[in-house]
Amino acid sequence: MTDDATTTAEGETEATANGITATYSLTESERVLAFERDGRTAVVAQNRDGYAMLKVRTAVDGDELERYYGFDMALDHVAERLGVSEHDLPIPEASADMGM
């Protein structure tokens, strides 16, 4: 459930729910979905073309922890890092098609 969804001037899409903020953005080479809750962070990244495996990282430029084919598996890992249920994660609409 998303309490709030906004798009910033930089083209990022942000959604918040359950004390979690999710920010979706495009870099020069990747689609990035970053989550933050109480100072904890987790990031799901995929190449800009959207066909490669998803990488779960500690931060946007952080260490890669694992790779997944499915968005649901990557979100499960993110939820574990943040100490919440996967169903509590807000997902900005622009990022809903990540994964293979």
Side-chain angles (χ1 to χ4, degrees):
M1 178 173 156
T2 301
D3 296 329
D4 190 25
T6 59
T7 301
T8 68
E10 295 81 29
E12 295 178 339
T13 302
E14 189 174 276
T16 58
N18 308 307
I20 305 163
T21 300
T23 305
Y24 174 77
S25 62
L26 295 174
T27 70
E28 196 171 297
S29 60
E30 292 183 314
R31 300 172 70 192
V32 178
L33 179 57
F35 294 90
E36 190 276 327
R37 175 181 178 255
D38 296 334
R40 295 185 211 170
T41 60
V43 172
V44 177
Q46 185 177 38
N47 71 10
R48 254 187 103 115
D49 296 329
Y51 63 81
M53 292 180 77
L54 298 166
K55 299 170 226 168
V56 175
R57 297 182 185 142
T58 57
V60 173
D61 59 355
D63 294 332
E64 182 178 316
L65 302 171
E66 193 71 57
R67 289 186 184 214
Y68 298 98
Y69 286 109
F71 193 38
D72 57 338
M73 296 297 292
L75 291 177
D76 184 62
H77 190 159
V78 165
E80 184 178 311
R81 280 193 52 79
L82 299 180
V84 299
S85 167
E86 178 183 339
H87 302 289
D88 291 336
L89 297 172
I91 309 298
E93 191 173 324
S95 67
D97 66 344
M98 291 179 81
M100 296 183 75

